[in-house]
Every structure is written in C-alpha cells, then in structure tokens.
Amino acid sequence: MGKIIAIANQKGGVGKTTTSVNLAASLGVLEKKVLLIDADPQANATSGLGVDVESVELGTYQLLEHTASASDCIVDTTAPNVSLIPSHIDLVAIEIELVDKEQREYMMKKALKDIEKNYDYILIDCAPSLGLLTLNALTASDSVVIPIQCEYFALEGLGKLLNTIKSVQKIHNKDLDIEGLLLTMYDARLRLSNQVVEEVTKHFNDMVFKTIIQRNVRLSEAPSFGESIINFDATSKGAQNYLSLANEIIENNK
C-alpha cells in the first residue's frame, strides 16, 4: 500500500513545489514507484516535470470532480519511476464547485482508493492556502511534510497550519501524522538562517528533518528546463539535499 504524503504550508514561496518535484524524483531514482499529484492551480509541479500545462486535458480537477478516474488522469514524466496527475488553471474553480457537494472533503481520498496500492509513495503538492483543496489533500494523506523557509517570518503562520492539521485529525482523518518539518532555503552565511534553524529545532526537536535544504542556484534553474534537480544536475548541492531527504523518509517508514 502506498504511503500518501501531502506537502503543505499556507505560506507561499517556502519551497513546497520544489520539494514535491525533487523529493518525487529522488525517491524515483532510489527505485521507489512514485505518483506526484499537482493540487495547486498554479500548476508549477506540472511544468517543473516537463509537462505542458496547456495540453492538460485530464488532471486534478477531473479527479476531484470524479468525472475521470485517477488512472485516466496519470501521465508519464521524464523523471525515472515518477508519474504525475497534472494540474491546470481550471483547478481554481474547484473550491466553489465542491462547496455544496456531500462529503466534499473526501473527494481526493475516494479518487485515490483504486490506485494507492500501485505506488510506494504518493506525494501531493498543495496550494498555498488552507482551502478545500488543501483540506482534501490532508484528508487523503497518511502524513504531511511542512516546508519552512529559513527567514524572518518562518514561524508565522505555522501555528495556524498546525491547528488546521489538528482539526483535520479530529474531524476527517484521525490517522494523519506529521512526517516532519523541512527547513528550506538555508544559507549558512546568514546569522538569521542559523537562528531560524535553532529556533525551529528548539521548539519542535524530533519533528524536524535532519536534512536541511540549502539555497542553491541549480535548484532554482531546474524548473525552467522542465526537469527535476536530479535530471538537471545530479552533482549539485540541491540534488544531494533532496536525495538525503528521500533516504530519511524511506528510513523513517521502514
């Protein structure tokens, strides 16, 4: 049975999509079968894996609407062992369309029932909000990875997200775990980066991944080529960081 992991934080620009794409690719090269679901209307994970967003006919929107089955929505990517359910700007409308549906929080969970056994890991790249889309992702998931940027406002909003996770645990998904807090965009030269690491580790000790994702030029260049960092530059710091994270997740789930 595949483990479903949401990558969520309602703050934008913390490295959710970078983490989703590169963690998927890293798990793939470590010979795990991975499905990445792009649940963000901006569709950056879709283009980041080299899929043309404009040509997407079936994707997360149809999956949540239940107008297409999960296996109909899956496309191949250039990353070894990684498949994708793509996104499209249409997905913006889903929040409104699901509002009066019964069991609207469980649409993704139901849609993934048939295929979860086909994968070792299913990763969901969440939108930067705590709306119905993210709620569907958290309700469908076994655990959640929370990327936190090593910057001044890092901990702002984290309390809100943790409260949302608590209420999802209480109402919709009692089995939801926190896989870990992931520190991203770390710059060893900055005192602030080191302070954030210290602060987060002090508050959340065991919940924080040992792997820290460092700022890396190659990492920010890779998406414009439609490639994961593993395909783009396997020797870069970014690739090493995400392979280390993938290994840590595999180890934690043994």
Side-chain angles (χ1 to χ4, degrees), residues 35-82:
L35 173 65
L36 175 59
I37 299 171
D38 191 348
D40 182 350
Q42 294 173 59
N44 291 340
T46 301
S47 58
L49 278 174
V51 174
D52 175 20
V53 176
E54 291 309 311
S55 68
V56 170
E57 284 176 13
L58 295 176
T60 312
Y61 179 77
Q62 288 75 15
L63 180 84
L64 289 166
E65 279 269 282
H66 291 188
T67 53
S69 71
S71 40
D72 290 339
C73 299
I74 293 170
V75 296
D76 291 329
T77 73
T78 51
N81 296 322
V82 179

Side-chain angles (χ1 to χ4, degrees), residues 170-189:
K170 215 187 306 187
I171 304 164
H172 305 296
N173 180 2
K174 63 179 190 326
D175 301 323
L176 182 65
D177 273 332
I178 292 178
E179 188 77 31
L181 306 179
L182 175 68
L183 291 156
T184 63
M185 304 182 195
Y186 172 74
D187 186 338
R189 297 164 306 181

Side-chain angles (χ1 to χ4, degrees), residues 4-6 35-40 59-66 70 85-86 91 94 98 103-116 122-127 132-141:
I4 305 178
I5 304 176
L35 173 65
L36 175 59
I37 299 171
D38 191 348
D40 182 350
T60 312
Y61 179 77
Q62 288 75 15
L63 180 84
L64 289 166
E65 279 269 282
H66 291 188
I85 293 184
L91 193 57
I94 201 79
L98 289 183
Q103 295 214 303
R104 57 190 182 187
E105 298 90 353
Y106 297 91
M107 293 302 194
M108 187 172 286
K109 189 182 176 73
K110 286 179 188 159
L112 297 179
K113 270 275 173 285
D114 300 340
I115 58 154
E116 54 186 310
I122 296 177
L123 305 181
I124 307 174
D125 182 27
C126 295
L132 253 183
L133 257 176
T134 301
L135 194 53
N136 258 278
L138 293 174
T139 302
S141 296

